[in-house]
Each structure stands twice: as C-alpha cells, then as structure tokens.
Amino acid sequence: MLRPGEKIIVFDGGFGSELERLGLSGVPEDLNITHAEDIKKIHRSYSHADIITANSFGLNPIKYGGKFAIDEVARAACENAKAAGKPVFFDVGPTGMMMEPMGQLSFEEAYRAYKTVAEISEGLCDGYILETFSDLYELKAALVALRESTDLPIFATVTFDKSGRTLTGSTPEIAANTVANLGADALGVNCSLGPEELIPVVERLLAVSPVPVIVQPNRGLPVLENGRTVYKLSAEAFYESIKKMVEMGVAVIGGCCGTTPEFIEKISVFSGQNVRKREISRQTVINSSNQICVMDGVKICGERLNPTGKKALKEALINEDFDYIIGEALSQQDAGADLLDVNCGLPQIDEKSLMPKVVRKVQEVTDLPLSLDSSNHEALEAAARIYNGIPLINSVNGEREVMERVFPIAKKYGCVVLGLAMDKGGVPRTAEKRFEIAKRIIRTAEEFGIPKERIMIDTLVVTASAEQELVRETVRALELVRGLGVKTALGVSNVSFGLPNRRLLNRTFLAMALERGLNMPIMNPSDGEMSGTVRAYELLSGIDKNAENFINIFKNYTPAQTASVLGIKREEKSAQSLYDCVRQGLKSRAGELTEEELLTKDPMEVVNGVLIKALDDVGAAYEAGKLFLPQLISSAEAAKAAFAVVAQHLPKDRESKGKVVLATVQGDVHDIGKNIVKVVIESYGWSVVDLGKDVSPEDVVKAVNDHDPFAVGLSALMTTTVPSMEKTISMLKESGCRAKIFVGGAVLNRETADRIGADCYTKDALEMAKKLDELYIGGKS
C-alpha cells in the first residue's frame, strides 16, 4: 500500500506541535537521540496512520545544526519511527537557503546535500516524503538526487500562499508538470494554509497531475494565547474539509502544523477506500519556474539564440558575452515569443560547458520556457540538469543510437522531446516516409517510458531553391503526423535560403504550414509580418476567441508599424538605460550604466529619479502578479550594484538611510524569508546587520544596543517559535529599544503581530521596504 493509486493512504500529523506540547525544545532531530522515548511516544500516538514520518525534516548537511553525526541521527530517527509498527518514510525538508540566482546555493550544492540524505537513509526507511518546499528548483535537486539513489516511493509536497503560487511564483500547474515528470510517485501540498483554504489549489492539482495527489494541511492559522501557539480549528472541521478533497480525488491525506493524533484518527476512516477516478488533461507542456507553455494552438519559438547565420551571436558565444545573449533573449520576449530556442553549437566551443552557463543567464532575466537545442547529448544533459523547470529538448531523429542517447536524458529530467523525421538516410523525399519515422520515434520513446504527449515532431523544412517539389511534402507530412496525436514544429525560415524576398516566402510558407497542423513555428518573433501571420491565423481558425488577442495587439496598428507585431521595440544595447537595467535585473551592467547617469545627474537624482522609480515599478508588477520573486530579487540585486556606485559619489553621512538588524528568532532555522528581506531592503538604500537564524533574544538585544538601528526585523516560519519572537520583542522593549520592530513570516498575520507587541507586520520584503521608507521620510519631515 506504499505506492499511491487505487486506495487512499493516510499519513500522520503534526510533529513540531507535539514536541511543544511535551515541552521538548532544541534541535528537533537531536531529540531522536537525547529523548528517544518521547519521540517514540509521539510516533505511537499516530497509530491510526498508514505511514509514519521520521523526525528527520532538517537532517541534511546544509541545514542540520545539531551535535551528533548526521548518519547516527538518521538511524535513530528511523528506529524511533518504527516503534509505531508501521511503514516509515524519511522526512526530507528544504535546506533553508535560497537557490541561485536569488541566493548563493547552486543546483549542484543542493544536489550533493540531498545525495547525502539518500546515503544516510539507505536501507533504513520504506520511502521518502519531501515536504514544505517553496522553490521547485530546490525540489528538483532533491528529486534528482533521491531518484538516482533509490527505487523506493517518493512523495513530494509544495507550499502555496493565498495567491495560489509558491514563494518563488510557481503555480499548481507548474508544480504538477515539474514534480511529476521528475519521478515523484505522488505530489501535492502541505503546510501553507488551513484545509478549507487549500481546496482551490488542490482542485487545480487534481485537474492536471499525472500522478496521485497528496494533501497535508495545517490546522488553520494559529493564534497566541498566554504566550503559547494555539490552533482553533476543530478535528471535526478538519475532517469535513479532508472529506471534500477525498471526494474530489485526493489519494493521500495527512496533517501538518497543529494537527494531533485526534485529527489523524478522525480522517483514518478514509484509509483503504477507493480513490475517486478523475479525468486529467494529457497535454504537451513545458515550463520555467514561473511560466507554463501548453502546446495547444500556435506557440512561437524564438530562433534568435541559434548562431547559424548570425555573426554577432557567434562572437558573443565564443567570448561568453552574456550581455549580448541576454539582450537577444529579452528582445524576443518583448516581441511575443512563447518560448526560446537556445543553441550553442559552434566547432570552437566546449558546448557541454557553455550551454548550462547560457541557460542560467537567460533564466535569470526571462521566465519564458526554453528549448535546449543541440546534437551533443552531453550538452543536452548538462543543460537539462540545471534548467529550472521542464524544458523542450531539440532534438532526436529516427536513428536508434541517437534515441538511446537522448531518451534516457529526457526521462530523467522530465523533458519534452522534439523528434526530427529523418534518419541515417537523411530527410525522406515523401511525406509517408517521414510519417513512418515519426511513428518509430513515438514508439521508441514509449519503450523508454516517455508518453506520446511528451513528444513533438519536426517534419523538416527543405530549401525551396534546391528542392522545390519537397516543400509540399513537408506540409503534407505535418497533416499526417497531426493524426498521430502529437504536436508539430518547423524551422520556418529554412524554406527561403538562397532566394530573394525571403520574408515574403517565409510568411507564405508559414500560412501553408499552420493550416496543415503546425503547432510551433521556430522563427524570429520580432519579424512583424511573420508574427502577424500567426495572430491572423489564430483569429481566422477560431483559436483566438472573439478576436480578443488580435484586437488587443493591432488596435493601434498603422502601416508604418514594422518593428514588431506587438508594437514593442527594445532599445539597442548601447542605448539601454539604467532604469531598464534595474527593471530587467541586469546586475552585470548596473555599475557601468550608473556611472553614465552620474555624468549628467546629481547622485540623489539618480537614486530617486531612476533607481527608486525602477524598483517601485518592479514592485507594482510584483504585487499585480506580473513578476515573481526571482525577478524581484534580480532587480533588487541590480539596484544594489547601482547604489554601490552612487554611494561613492555621496558624502559619507549620506551613504545609507540607516541600519536594520535582521534575525530569524531562536529555535527557527528557516531563513529564506529573512534573506529575501535583506536583499530587497538593501536595494532601497538600507544597511543590514544580519544576525542569521536561530538567534537568541539576548543576542538580538545586544546587536540593537551595539548598532542603534533604525529598525529591527524578526522572522519566524515555525509556529512553535512564535513565543520566542514574543519574548525577543519583550526583551527589546525592556532594554529601551527605540527602533521600530518589524515581524514577518508564514505563520504570522497582523493580528498575531499586534498580540506579541510588534510595531509593524509586513507580509513580504517589498512591503517592509516601503514601510521603512515611509517611516524614514516621516521622521525627516
């Protein structure tokens, strides 16, 4: 019953809240050794669960801060959990660090940490539960490391906020496509919110997840009473919400923060019941961390990051001029591309080394999904491994040897694969033979466990100047392949090589191909006539309902409009402004452009008229859900680099608005939120004294006395550490602290902040930055 599917499985409930109830404190994982009998008692209390979760949430080499050997603690955690007489899943939590580019933790460092988790738990457990992940990139590192090491069941759960996104901006649909295709046996949501509030998120997961869905909600949001964390939601109310989700088709249930053995006993009536059948959407989908691309209708794949015939891009790749590459990516995004093709194939380049670098740089500035384009399977794997999301791989062909090299990569990293309708004999001359190769590719992919919806076929454009009669065979093949139920692609502009008026030929051929079933033209999205042809086809074929998209794009159209169908023309690199640089998060150019601004402007004019304006505009887009945390952090980092240059031109007493002391409170080892706050408020001109995580009240008071800050920011993610936050605030006020005390974190709200004596509650880093500025300006006026 460990593999989810036909019968409902019940997990246990909250552990941290049970530790608090027993009066146990300190590093939770160390309690497996120092208080083994108490830990066993908690596990036994969940006797109504089908699976027991080991007390190992923070047991990875990056996060664990205890006093024992990590493998010793792992053995003790699993032995204690086995005392309940049920199957044991090793609990795997996040490292507490931000992944690149938001933070300093690289994919490979995260991978190695989770590889260690796999090693220390080998042979000790019956499966794994990866939970409370707010960044799918880190979850990918964990899944890759564990799946390389074990065939045991792996369940994965993500946390979502009220907006229906993770901390880093991923939707339930993005989570489902990413996690399921990286080898998880079940995926879902834990912690986050109360059970009733999670129902909309669960509904969206159930609509798209190809694997069973797991839900482990909190017992609602807690309140403080007499210095203790108290949950008000009853077991009966929890049961009713879980019942709704079971009726919707959820396969695995359990509880998170605040839920007790009573809650698990209540919902255990569902154990072993049949999982309700559900209809799921079987679509061809790729995604970045923030944006999903469903291959329905027509999706434009930008071709401008392929060096073929592009001298400037060739030089940029050879010289690793990432500014030029980033500029090309942003230009295509602005012009309306749905995804971008990335190709680094030049004879003088180490493609395996360069391609991951280019992918990282492009993903820092755009959230468009990527197509990884290479004939070098080692380069494909290197790029697919570090890609933040699920990419398209371009490509394989009908040769068995090629498919045997590429399909394992696609399977491991969840990629969609673009298959070329050719083999050792080259491009067949007839549509029927290309169709046969397409069927061979689909059939072989299924042998490797890759379903048909994760395959696309390119029926291959030939040059009309050389083989005019084969142009029609290409479009005929599109129609045949469409009948196989797969999506199609073509490199459209190949048709016109060697002929005059190429743009006319390209757009005419594009119209022919679209009518025959082309889903993904690979083309220059900045060519207004080509993009216009796509938008016109969408309207005339009924894809663009009520012509809404066409009208929106062309409502201000004039015959002179040639730069882009969207009416957007990016400035050339040489004319790019500092404002654009901050908006786009281009940290590498921020210093240079700041120096240029300072040639004609006063330093404070640059700060207030350019940097703060750009940050405010980024913030407005963030609050409107148009940008997400990675872009917010990138812009903040670019602004920080600019502020550093401006500071050199300011009097020493004007270098900073003031100091802010930041700390994650004692007992809490989660510091992602605090680290985000640090980056953002520094970008607004504040100096930060970062005390780190698990900071005692005494150390916070000492730091405030030593630094005399303008404000103090306290963070908590665990409900059990809110009393520690309250104690810190109390001690600060008793010490005569004049600084404004800010609090934040997932377990807090404005009401709780008021109860524990905080001066300000802010829901995120951006809100804190703005509140600090309000107080700063108010204090000066």
Side-chain angles (χ1 to χ4, degrees), residues 51-52 56 80 103 182 233 238 284 327 352 379 387 430 436 444 488 600 635 680 718 743:
I51 294 176
I52 299 297
S56 55
N80 292 338
L182 286 170
L233 189 71
F238 187 86
T284 303
K352 179 182 176 182
Y387 179 79
T430 67
E436 290 302 318
T444 308
T488 59
T600 59
S635 291
V680 173
M718 299 167 64
V743 296

Side-chain angles (χ1 to χ4, degrees), residues 34-324:
T34 61
H35 293 74
E37 290 307 313
D38 289 316
I39 300 302
K40 290 176 183 178
K41 181 179 178 181
I42 295 174
H43 288 314
R44 291 191 189 104
S45 71
Y46 284 114
S47 60
H48 289 88
D50 298 314
I51 294 176
I52 299 297
T53 307
N55 177 31
S56 55
F57 179 76
L59 204 57
N60 64 70
I62 293 175
K63 186 173 185 178
Y64 175 62
K67 58 185 178 181
F68 301 102
I70 193 170
D71 56 343
E72 181 185 2
V73 181
R75 285 193 300 274
C78 292
E79 288 171 5
N80 292 338
K82 289 175 182 176
K86 300 290 180 74
V88 171
F89 273 39
F90 201 82
D91 193 6
V92 182
T95 62
M97 293 183 66
M98 288 193 296
M99 298 283 289
E100 292 178 337
M102 294 186 298
Q104 301 301 312
L105 186 64
S106 71
F107 180 87
E108 290 303 329
E109 287 169 335
Y111 165 82
R112 287 193 293 271
Y114 292 113
K115 196 72 171 176
T116 298
V117 170
E119 292 166 355
I120 63 173
S121 58
E122 185 178 5
L124 300 177
C125 59
D126 302 292
Y128 294 86
I129 174 74
L130 283 63
E131 60 178 5
T132 324
F133 281 79
S134 58
D135 185 348
L136 293 184
Y137 197 31
E138 184 176 8
L139 182 53
K140 174 178 179 175
L143 281 167
V144 169
L146 287 171
R147 192 43 85 201
E148 283 181 354
S149 305
T150 182
D151 292 324
L152 293 176
I154 301 176
F155 297 0
T157 57
V158 181
T159 60
F160 295 91
D161 61 25
K162 291 180 181 178
S163 73
R165 288 186 179 264
T166 67
L167 178 68
T168 53
S170 303
T171 64
E173 292 78 13
I174 289 171
N177 194 53
T178 302
V179 177
N181 288 298
L182 286 170
D185 295 283
L187 73 91
V189 57
N190 81 301
C191 203
S192 304
L193 306 166
E196 199 66 23
E197 293 82 1
L198 281 180
I199 287 177
V201 169
V202 172
E203 189 173 30
R204 291 170 66 180
L205 286 171
L206 288 167
V208 295
S209 173
V211 297
V213 171
I214 174 174
V215 182
Q216 294 180 298
N218 282 342
R219 185 182 171 182
L221 292 175
V223 297
L224 282 176
E225 290 184 356
N226 301 319
R228 293 183 63 83
T229 304
V230 177
Y231 293 88
K232 297 292 189 179
L233 189 71
S234 69
E236 182 63 31
F238 187 86
Y239 163 83
E240 290 296 334
S241 295
I242 293 293
K243 180 181 178 183
K244 291 179 187 177
M245 290 187 264
V246 166
E247 291 172 348
M248 292 162 60
V250 167
V252 186
I253 54 178
C256 201
C257 299
T259 55
T260 68
E262 177 192 3
F263 283 66
I264 303 308
E265 180 180 0
K266 196 82 174 173
I267 66 173
S268 67
V269 296
F270 300 112
S271 175
Q273 291 186 14
N274 291 332
V275 176
R276 182 173 178 175
K277 300 295 182 183
R278 56 191 171 91
E279 295 294 327
I280 65 167
S281 174
R282 297 282 185 182
Q283 295 178 301
T284 303
V285 182
I286 64 172
N287 63 270
S288 65
S289 64
N290 298 145
Q291 192 161 320
I292 196 161
C293 182
V294 181
M295 292 293 174
D296 54 3
V298 182
K299 296 294 183 287
I300 296 175
C301 179
E303 67 177 4
R304 298 297 300 168
L305 291 179
N306 185 323
T308 303
K310 304 178 186 72
K311 182 179 179 181
L313 180 60
K314 287 180 182 179
E315 292 177 357
L317 289 169
I318 292 169
N319 298 321
E320 297 193 10
D321 179 0
F322 296 117
D323 283 349
Y324 181 89

Side-chain angles (χ1 to χ4, degrees), residues 434-639:
R434 297 185 209 185
F435 176 66
E436 290 302 318
I437 293 175
K439 288 197 293 185
R440 185 194 314 159
I441 292 170
I442 294 168
R443 185 170 58 248
T444 308
E446 289 174 342
E447 291 176 17
F448 284 85
I450 301 170
K452 185 165 62 175
E453 64 266 20
R454 305 204 68 74
I455 294 293
M456 297 181 67
I457 297 294
D458 185 335
T459 59
L460 297 171
V461 176
V462 294
T463 304
S465 61
E467 297 184 286
Q468 185 178 356
E469 68 278 9
L470 297 190
V471 174
R472 280 191 171 275
E473 294 302 303
T474 295
V475 293
R476 273 209 318 119
L478 279 176
E479 198 163 29
L480 293 173
V481 169
R482 184 171 64 174
L484 295 172
V486 297
K487 303 301 181 182
T488 59
L490 286 177
V492 177
S493 61
N494 293 344
V495 76
S496 63
F497 282 138
L499 292 169
N501 203 348
R502 292 190 63 191
R503 293 177 68 186
L504 173 62
L505 289 171
N506 290 344
R507 71 175 184 267
T508 304
F509 176 69
L510 174 61
M512 292 170 58
L514 289 171
E515 179 58 21
R516 292 296 187 97
L518 175 61
N519 297 109
M520 190 185 80
I522 305 170
M523 53 178 260
N524 179 4
S526 296
D527 184 326
E529 293 178 342
M530 290 281 283
S531 294
T533 298
V534 171
R535 304 314 173 199
Y537 169 78
E538 290 174 326
L539 185 156
L540 297 173
S541 64
I543 295 170
D544 181 6
K545 300 298 182 184
N546 301 315
E548 289 180 2
N549 191 44
F550 189 88
I551 292 170
N552 181 58
I553 291 171
F554 287 102
K555 59 188 175 186
N556 298 317
Y557 175 78
T558 66
Q561 181 187 11
T562 57
S564 164
V565 69
L566 298 179
I568 297 170
K569 184 178 181 181
R570 281 181 45 78
E571 294 178 282
E572 296 300 322
K573 174 184 170 184
S574 60
Q576 186 181 50
S577 70
L578 177 59
Y579 172 87
D580 290 334
C581 182
V582 174
R583 282 271 296 176
Q584 296 157 2
L586 305 181
K587 181 180 177 181
S588 62
R589 300 208 65 221
E592 169 195 344
L593 290 170
T594 303
E595 294 285 9
E596 291 179 11
E597 292 276 359
L598 289 167
L599 293 174
T600 59
K601 293 178 183 175
D602 176 83
M604 291 310 296
E605 186 181 352
V606 174
V607 170
N608 295 319
V610 181
L611 298 179
I612 296 300
K613 184 180 186 302
L615 286 170
D616 285 347
D617 288 349
V618 168
Y622 173 73
E623 291 177 341
K626 297 177 181 178
L627 293 178
F628 305 101
L629 189 61
Q631 291 81 32
L632 179 67
I633 294 296
S634 293
S635 291
E637 290 284 4

